Amino acid sequence: MIITQEQIAHFKTLKTPFYFYDIQLLEKTLSFAQSEAKKYGYILHYAMKANVNDKVLASVQKHGFGADCVSGNEVQKAIDAGFPADEVVFAGVGKSDDEILTALSHDIFCFNCESVQEIEVINELAAQEGKTAKIAVRINPDVSANTHHHISTGLKENKFGVNMSEMDSVLEVIAASANIKLVGIHFHIGSQITDLSSYKNLCVRVNQIQEWFATRHVSLEFLNVGGGLGIDYYNPETNDIADFKEYFAIFNEFLKLQPGQKLHFELGRSMVAQCSSLITRVLYVKEGATVNFLILDAGMTELIRPMLYQAYHKINNLTATANEIETYDVVGPICESTDTFAKALELPKSKRKDIIEIKSAGAYGEVMASNYNLKTLHPAVYSDEVGVAV
Ligand code: LLP
């Protein structure tokens, strides 16, 4: 995503910080993902947790995605945004009774279940409502995602999924549950996965697990391999769409589907990350004892990824006029030392009121914002509205 001079001129008239969305890039990304998936008949769900901005959801929904939800409110939001209920999946290790009832009331496609006790509770609540709940068991495949340990989910020490050693007892519970129908199995090994060989390893493991089910004559309508495809945070201008072609080709090459079996995906970050930047202003340039600080009006309250996962986001000064380069620690205004976007970053010499862009912030950005310190995040701005007469 490249911000135009016209957009910068518009930003100068607005209060900061705010998220700017490039709707054209979003739509290009969604179309490309769908066209690559369709080559193999794969079914895509959008992981709502990445971004629930209404305009973003409207584009995603229009491009024929189902929804992957992790709370009752996300299920409700997906339905309200027009996602068909029979394309909604509901995952998460801790679904409350109310959330399960919300999902049952909409007759969603499937619950991705993560423990024996959860299956028992869904069965009880489905019986109470006179419904049959379709479930997929989330299996912990013990496959490494080679990603940051905070966003790795498929290792046996992680809280997610059921281990294969427990699967016989899970099948017994399902067999004894009159209001549960097992329709699939589910996996998700982690997020921001850029080493695609992790997916090959997942396929090999899923093939073994499929054989385990086959020997027990359990048939599965579908497999769901979750999401996690990473994006290029380092070169967002030149590499703005994830490698969907290679990603789906890996599953086509290495995953053995049973006749008639469907393959589902739940992608979040790769759909939306590159289509948004956090736009913020320089409040002050401060000479510290050892470093210079560029103090912005956005902080961890608007984008927490750098502070929480030591995540890199490319930072540009959109209004700098000097050729001189300076080194800054780029920080937010929040009363915590951890409120730092980048250390020792080289930028064109910057001044008060310069407009700064923090890139690749469309996934887990706006949606993870908080009102800590009662900070104000101003309304988002959309590329298809800038320069368009109203
Ligand atoms: N399916 C399940 C079961 C998940 O837990 C997740 C993400 C996804 C799908 C979507 O994964 P994606 O395609 O977006 O990688 N806040 C962190 C990321 C947390 C991811 C949680 N689960 C971050 O900012 O990096």
Side-chain angles (χ1 to χ4, degrees):
M1 167 174 133
I2 295 172
I3 295 193
T4 64
Q5 287 305 320
E6 186 195 17
Q7 288 163 345
I8 295 170
H10 182 60
F11 296 168
K12 284 184 181 166
T13 68
L14 299 174
K15 288 194 173 165
T16 48
F18 60 85
Y19 276 89
F20 172 68
Y21 286 93
D22 181 338
I23 298 295
Q24 287 86 351
L25 177 59
L26 171 64
E27 304 223 320
K28 204 169 136 195
T29 308
L30 298 167
S31 301
F32 183 56
Q34 279 293 19
S35 70
E36 290 302 313
K38 286 218 168 84
K39 284 186 183 165
Y40 313 108
Y42 295 162
I43 297 165
L44 303 186
H45 301 261
Y46 167 66
M48 302 267 293
K49 63 175 82 65
N51 189 315
V52 288
N53 174 296
D54 287 337
K55 260 194 94 137
V56 170
L57 284 188
S59 289
V60 173
Q61 190 271 332
K62 199 175 73 189
H63 282 77
F65 286 76
D68 163 40
C69 306
V70 285
S71 70
N73 289 343
E74 278 192 5
V75 170
Q76 189 59 53
K77 178 103 189 165
I79 303 287
D80 294 345
F83 289 88
D86 61 1
E87 294 174 14
V88 169
V89 298
F90 181 17
V93 291
K95 303 176 186 74
S96 73
D97 294 19
D98 280 348
E99 291 178 316
I100 294 168
L101 287 169
T102 299
L104 284 171
S105 75
H106 291 296
D107 296 319
I108 62 162
F109 173 63
C110 180
F111 291 83
N112 293 336
C113 295
E114 308 223 10
S115 66
V116 168
Q117 201 168 30
E118 180 194 329
I119 296 170
E120 289 168 343
V121 170
I122 294 176
N123 182 50
E124 260 173 53
L125 294 173
Q128 175 193 307
E129 299 301 304
K131 306 224 171 189
T132 299
K134 288 191 279 177
I135 69 160
V137 179
R138 176 167 179 179
I139 297 173
N140 184 325
D142 198 21
V143 169
S144 167
N146 293 319
T147 186
H148 191 279
H149 63 282
H150 286 175
I151 50 175
S152 172
T153 51
L155 293 172
K156 59 176 182 281
E157 63 263 32
N158 298 133
K159 70 179 174 183
F160 301 98
V162 172
N163 294 317
M164 279 310 287
S165 55
E166 288 175 84
M167 197 51 71
D168 275 314
S169 53
V170 169
L171 290 184
E172 278 168 31
V173 170
I174 292 172
S177 302
N179 295 72
I180 292 282
K181 182 171 186 235
L182 177 68
V183 285
I185 49 176
H186 173 236
F187 305 85
H188 174 75
I189 56 172
S191 197
Q192 184 49 19
I193 297 171
T194 49
D195 172 3
L196 294 186
S197 69
S198 303
Y199 286 115
K200 180 180 165 193
N201 297 339
L202 174 65
C203 291
V204 170
R205 184 77 184 111
V206 174
N207 292 341
Q208 290 167 351
I209 292 172
Q210 286 251 72
E211 277 173 29
W212 186 96
F213 280 93
T215 57
R216 281 155 183 82
H217 308 289
V218 177
S219 73
L220 301 163
E221 289 171 25
F222 68 86
L223 307 178
N224 179 338
V225 286
L229 178 62
I231 59 128
D232 188 347
Y233 282 98
Y234 291 89
N235 305 292
E237 285 100 352
T238 49
N239 190 16
D240 56 6
I241 299 190
D243 197 352
F244 296 112
K245 194 180 176 70
E246 175 69 12
Y247 173 67
F248 293 123
I250 287 178
F251 288 92
N252 180 53
E253 184 175 353
F254 296 105
L255 191 68
K256 291 191 212 131
L257 292 177
Q258 306 289 337
Q261 201 172 47
K262 297 273 187 232
L263 184 57
H264 292 238
F265 293 80
E266 305 166 344
L267 292 164
R269 187 189 314 267
S270 52
M271 297 295 146
V272 293
Q274 298 290 26
C275 79
S276 183
S277 292
L278 176 61
I279 306 296
T280 162
R281 272 191 178 84
V282 176
L283 289 174
Y284 303 105
V285 185
K286 171 167 154 174
E287 275 182 36
T290 53
V291 282
N292 289 335
F293 293 102
L294 208 57
I295 304 176
L296 307 180
D297 62 8
M300 60 195 283
T301 39
E302 286 72 38
L303 178 65
I304 200 174
R305 302 195 68 258
M307 299 78 182
L308 200 53
Y309 316 111
Q310 296 78 48
Y312 172 83
H313 285 259
K314 189 169 179 193
I315 298 176
N316 291 330
N317 184 327
L318 297 178
T319 49
T321 44
N323 289 327
E324 229 175 300
I325 299 292
E326 294 255 326
T327 302
Y328 300 102
D329 277 10
V330 181
V331 302
I334 305 301
C335 304
E336 307 225 8
S337 294
T338 188
D339 190 35
T340 299
F341 288 110
K343 279 192 172 289
L345 183 71
E346 290 196 341
L347 279 177
K349 191 174 169 59
S350 302
K351 55 190 184 310
R352 175 168 159 80
K353 297 206 172 163
D354 272 348
I355 298 201
I356 304 287
E357 172 196 20
I358 307 182
K359 296 190 74 72
S360 315
Y364 308 109
E366 189 181 7
V367 82
M368 288 178 80
S370 74
N371 74 342
Y372 183 43
N373 287 194
L374 292 182
K375 283 278 312 308
T376 303
L377 175 59
H378 294 280
V381 175
Y382 305 92
S383 60
D384 59 350
E385 292 173 6
V386 176
V388 177
V390 278

